[in-house]
Amino acid sequence: MSMTLETQAIRPVPFREVRHDQPDDCVHYEPVATRFAAMNWTIPMHCHEGLHQLQYLTEGSVQGRIDDRQVSGCAPVFFLMAPGSMHGFQYSHDAVGHQLTLPSATLARWLAQTPVLEQWLNGSFMLHPCAVQAERWRIGFEQIAEEFESAHPGRVQTLCALTTLMAVQAGRLYGAQAVGEKRYDTRDALARRFKALVELHYGKHWPLSDYAALLGVGQDHLSRACRKAWGLGALTVLNDRLLLQARRLLAYTPLSVSEIAEQLGYADSAYFSRVFRRGVGRTPSEYRVLAEQGIHSAD
């Protein structure tokens, strides 16, 4: 299978799930062949705002990119794409699998009492499940496919329950791989609650004191928790999230630097450029040129 994503023009494409505007649908399901075969099994780089997407291949293989990471895998392979994450893939023509899309607000509501899981699911990732988990997901997605096309009483409740189970299993497996099986103390939980808030509000340019007040702790205590969890102070975590979004917009959209600055909440594009250069080591224009050449060493 040849990979063409590196050489093709990379621009976001619109992606709207046709059934999300129907009140009785909490999720949208489709087999991967429904959309991918019509696009010659190549999905251009794009992102979903306000949507989470779960994809599970039971046959075939895939290569592509999630943000600045090259990814590849042979079935069984599972992807979770978080909102705002740029991604594009090329699939083998024998690919078989499932794709599930749901509003991120819905997922957050389902996991509101489990902040660690919610945090793990705030970023995109790929998983290679063991045989036991692969069989669980195969059965689970087949149940979702059947229920989605049905008109049985309790259809919505069943879809919600099955989708929650998929998300929880994916979050647990990702968490185990990413940070190991360990117990989270109070500071771990605080750092992850902070990061979840940053994901929701980073574009509003709240001062760190506002986040600390909302979490009921002092700024120093919050920074200590973040350093323990990730080796970074709270302010660095906040600034890094803004820079990540800036890099995405520069690499994958035709927006001008001033338009990107405005979208990210900066009233002065020159100030945004200084902040970007200080954080990334290149001006926004320099970074965009390198991104177009496929060079992402700045990240």
Side-chain angles (χ1 to χ4, degrees), residues 59-297:
E59 298 179 29
S61 59
V62 59
Q63 299 182 46
R65 179 187 290 169
I66 301 176
D67 287 322
D68 301 311
R69 306 191 308 277
Q70 294 291 332
V71 295
S72 63
C74 295
V77 61
F78 176 95
F79 288 95
L80 182 137
M81 270 70 75
S85 182
M86 299 298 302
H87 56 280
F89 302 111
Q90 185 171 19
Y91 300 83
S92 61
H93 288 201
D94 61 345
V96 176
H98 311 271
Q99 185 162 276
L100 191 61
T101 310
L102 70 155
S104 300
T106 300
L107 181 62
R109 187 167 64 250
W110 292 343
L111 301 178
Q113 303 304 313
T114 316
V116 170
L117 270 176
E118 187 179 1
Q119 175 57 41
W120 285 335
L121 297 175
N122 272 341
S124 300
F125 55 79
M126 178 182 72
L127 298 171
H128 296 282
C130 66
V132 173
Q133 184 60 64
E135 181 64 9
R136 287 174 182 166
W137 276 337
R138 183 191 67 79
I139 294 171
F141 275 105
E142 288 178 357
Q143 289 176 318
I144 288 174
E146 179 181 354
E147 197 68 30
F148 187 79
E149 297 300 331
S150 77
H152 300 314
R155 171 181 176 276
V156 170
Q157 290 80 2
T158 302
L159 286 171
C160 290
L162 290 170
T163 303
T164 303
L165 180 60
M166 295 289 151
V168 168
Q169 289 177 348
R172 287 175 176 175
L173 183 55
Y174 172 70
Q177 292 184 4
V179 298
E181 295 287 0
K182 69 171 186 176
R183 298 183 62 87
Y184 290 93
D185 62 22
T186 304
R187 285 181 295 180
D188 290 314
L190 173 62
R192 295 177 193 284
R193 285 168 57 207
F194 168 64
K195 203 164 189 180
L197 283 176
V198 168
E199 192 65 31
L200 291 173
H201 304 295
Y202 67 87
K204 300 173 184 176
H205 292 264
W206 286 0
L208 188 60
S209 57
D210 284 3
Y211 286 97
L214 195 59
L215 292 165
V217 298
Q219 295 182 60
D220 290 343
H221 182 65
L222 179 58
S223 282
R224 285 194 296 271
C226 290
R227 288 193 184 94
K228 181 180 184 298
W230 304 300
L232 301 171
L235 187 59
T236 302
V237 172
L238 178 57
N239 291 336
D240 282 355
R241 182 60 184 89
L242 266 168
L243 289 174
L244 171 61
Q245 191 65 14
R247 296 200 308 272
R248 287 173 173 170
L249 294 173
L250 286 164
Y252 302 118
T253 78
L255 295 174
S256 67
V257 172
S258 60
E259 288 171 330
I260 290 173
E262 182 180 359
Q263 185 166 323
L264 293 176
Y266 290 94
D268 182 356
S269 61
Y271 176 68
F272 162 70
S273 295
R274 290 196 297 273
V275 170
F276 188 88
R277 182 167 187 170
R278 187 164 59 245
V280 177
R282 293 182 172 89
T283 68
S285 297
E286 290 170 345
Y287 181 86
R288 170 165 273 167
V289 170
L290 291 175
E292 289 174 350
Q293 295 172 353
I295 300 171
H296 297 276
S297 58

